[in-house]
Amino acid sequence: MAEFTVGEADFLLDGRPVRLLSGALHYFRVHEAQWPHRLRTLRAMGLNCVETYVPWNLHEPREGRYRDVAALGRFLDAAREAGLWALVRPGPYICAEWENGGLPSWLTGRLGPRARTRDPGYLDLADSWLRRVLREVVPRQADRGGPVLMVQVENEYGSYGSDLPYLEHLAGTLRDAGVTVPLFTSDGPEDHMLTGGSVPGVLATANFGSGARDAFAALRRHRPHGAHGPLMCMEFWCGWFGHWGGAEPVVRSPAEAAEALREILECGASVNVYMAHGGTSFGGWAGANRAGELHD
């Protein structure tokens, strides 16, 4: 067993400072037989941690009918076998360039814009999902001998809303379900995003692909004790997704990405490379996003 805590300046593992060097790898985008190889590859990259989302809609395709939620537990066991710690992001909303951001169609079809709010009908369903998926996470926490170091509350909520009681409710659900490791939120490094997505008493992290010093300065402004608390880029965007039918793949210069990563590390921060291995969105699960002119 290990004790992982959020110190005033660093993450602490059994009382000693540790930097998380993580890579995103979604178990649901990789065939299970390939998990050991992909996880060993992350370890060979020099990483000490793996991060994954958990897609609600994949595991509860019909209300109350769950499908292989245990896959998450098997993946976490494989991570431990590979010598990696783990960060888990169970939603209920995950984005993840995934169909409906992970929310089941039966839920959004019924509730519409009441999803991701403190609406009692939505909270009942979200709580039920979290309690189910956490049965795979709680026994595998670091303080119980497993690999899980931290669990996320919602996902980039500041890009969507600013309903603090909603986020506080989800954090309470995680704690009530047995999560004893630190919780965290992740948002873009803009003031309105960090304001809308942060929860008092929960570690705030930032997502970005460049400009680490400016991003971390914004993050510091939203820390209750200013300069205190470890810095982490929860999603270092080393690339970008391509669109089906796009003329050319989206490629980032390795040298430019490496320089952006160097800046993160020079700030003394921890980092999660998003994605370390993208895998495949099988069966059309990749979803869609708006065209550029509509997005703007």
Side-chain angles (χ1 to χ4, degrees):
M1 293 188 292
E3 181 185 30
F4 181 81
T5 56
V6 177
E8 289 196 359
D10 301 288
F11 292 116
L12 302 174
L13 188 61
D14 292 330
R16 302 178 63 180
V18 62
R19 187 194 300 228
L20 300 184
L21 301 174
S22 178
L25 191 163
H26 300 156
Y27 65 94
F28 47 94
R29 286 181 159 127
V30 179
H31 283 298
E32 185 166 352
Q34 297 172 332
W35 290 350
H37 172 266
R38 302 300 191 268
L39 291 165
R40 289 195 303 268
T41 301
L42 262 62
R43 195 76 180 92
M45 289 170 61
L47 303 180
N48 59 15
C49 192
V50 62
E51 172 267 309
T52 187
Y53 281 121
V54 187
W56 181 1
N57 52 6
L58 185 67
H59 291 302
E60 192 178 0
R62 298 288 183 272
E63 184 176 357
R65 297 184 181 181
Y66 294 101
R67 180 173 62 189
D68 199 20
V69 187
L72 172 62
R74 297 195 301 273
F75 178 75
L76 295 174
D77 291 343
R80 184 175 183 274
E81 184 68 23
L84 294 167
W85 299 106
L87 307 175
V88 180
R89 307 167 83 181
Y93 177 84
I94 62 171
C95 183
E97 291 69 58
W98 186 258
E99 177 71 20
N100 212 26
L103 296 177
S105 58
W106 55 261
L107 179 146
T108 52
R110 182 191 312 168
L111 298 179
R114 289 182 289 159
R116 301 184 79 190
T117 73
R118 71 182 91 167
D119 175 80
Y122 174 71
L123 291 180
D124 285 347
L125 294 169
D127 287 350
S128 178
W129 158 246
L130 290 173
R131 285 192 295 266
R132 176 61 189 89
V133 73
L134 290 172
R135 284 161 50 185
E136 304 299 326
V137 176
V138 168
R140 294 176 172 88
Q141 296 178 103
D143 55 8
R144 302 193 185 191
V148 178
L149 296 181
M150 294 198 294
V151 176
Q152 181 170 282
V153 180
E154 239 271 358
N155 184 70
E156 293 185 319
Y157 189 72
S159 297
Y160 179 79
S162 56
D163 189 346
L164 178 58
Y166 164 62
L167 297 178
E168 290 179 325
H169 175 94
L170 294 182
T173 298
L174 296 175
R175 289 303 189 202
D176 291 344
V179 175
T180 51
V181 295
L183 303 177
F184 69 93
T185 58
S186 66
D187 287 282
E190 298 184 28
D191 288 325
H192 73 281
M193 295 179 181
L194 289 164
T195 297
S198 299
V199 181
V202 173
L203 177 72
T205 67
N207 301 339
F208 55 86
S210 61
R213 290 181 177 84
D214 290 341
F216 287 140
L219 185 58
R220 287 291 193 209
R221 291 196 296 271
H222 292 266
R223 291 281 177 83
H225 304 295
H228 295 301
L231 294 171
M232 183 161 189
C233 176
M234 189 54 65
E235 292 183 12
F236 168 57
W237 302 323
C238 56
W240 203 246
F241 55 82
H243 289 90
W244 181 263
E248 297 179 0
V250 181
V251 178
R252 186 174 187 182
S253 160
E256 193 264 340
E259 188 57 34
L261 177 59
R262 181 188 300 276
E263 185 178 352
I264 293 173
L265 300 177
E266 287 175 347
C267 291
S270 292
V271 63
N272 178 50
V273 178
Y274 191 94
M275 301 285 297
H277 175 58
T280 300
S281 297
F282 300 103
W285 281 102
N289 69 326
R290 293 170 291 186
E293 61 273 13
L294 292 176
H295 187 83
D296 293 339

